[in-house]
Amino acid sequence: MQSTELKAFVVDKVEDIKAKDVVVLDVTDKSNVTDYMVICTGTSNTHLRAIADNVVRSAKAVGIEPLGVEGRDSNEWVLVDLGDVILHVMQDVTREQYQLEKLWSEI
């Protein structure tokens, strides 16, 4: 799956679980680690895990093995690394604190 298709796939899967405030950042010219970052907000720690787990399960179902999943036991931030796309699922407070959209727009 090409990176643009993977980006659309991830956005579709987070929206399936009602993630809030989904933002896609194109970082192809800013990062040699990934092409896109998808950032979204979950309403609770259970919601964070459900969003991340849905993406992981769905990716595996189509033959994409995540490179890593971090923060599953966290109440604030779960990261799913799919190579060309990295998903950040965050609580409102954490998202406001780290402001990834602003950080990556200034690079």
Side-chain angles (χ1 to χ4, degrees):
M1 188 177 295
Q2 297 211 352
S3 61
T4 55
E5 294 170 319
L6 183 57
K7 170 193 66 169
F9 175 84
V10 170
V11 169
D12 182 57
K13 298 309 170 194
V14 300
E15 289 177 344
D16 282 351
I17 306 295
K18 307 293 187 231
K20 298 180 354 182
D21 304 321
V22 180
V23 173
V24 177
L25 303 176
D26 182 344
V27 295
T28 52
D29 296 335
K30 299 174 182 178
S31 171
N32 61 358
V33 175
T34 191
D35 292 338
Y36 297 98
M37 289 191 189
V38 177
I39 304 167
C40 64
T41 302
T43 57
S44 67
N45 58 350
T46 303
H47 193 212
L48 295 179
R49 283 192 301 275
I51 294 166
D53 288 346
N54 187 53
V55 171
V56 169
R57 270 194 316 273
S58 299
K60 286 180 177 181
V62 297
I64 300 167
E65 190 64 37
L67 300 176
V69 180
E70 297 293 330
R72 249 192 196 136
D73 297 327
S74 166
N75 294 328
E76 299 176 11
W77 187 348
V78 180
L79 180 143
V80 179
D81 185 350
L82 297 168
D84 290 340
V85 177
I86 294 177
L87 170 66
H88 298 270
V89 187
M90 308 169 95
Q91 292 261 9
D92 277 324
V93 172
T94 305
R95 188 166 177 180
E96 180 62 31
Q97 179 180 356
Y98 288 98
Q99 298 183 14
L100 293 181
E101 296 95 330
K102 182 178 177 185
L103 173 70
W104 282 94
S105 69
E106 292 178 356
I107 293 177

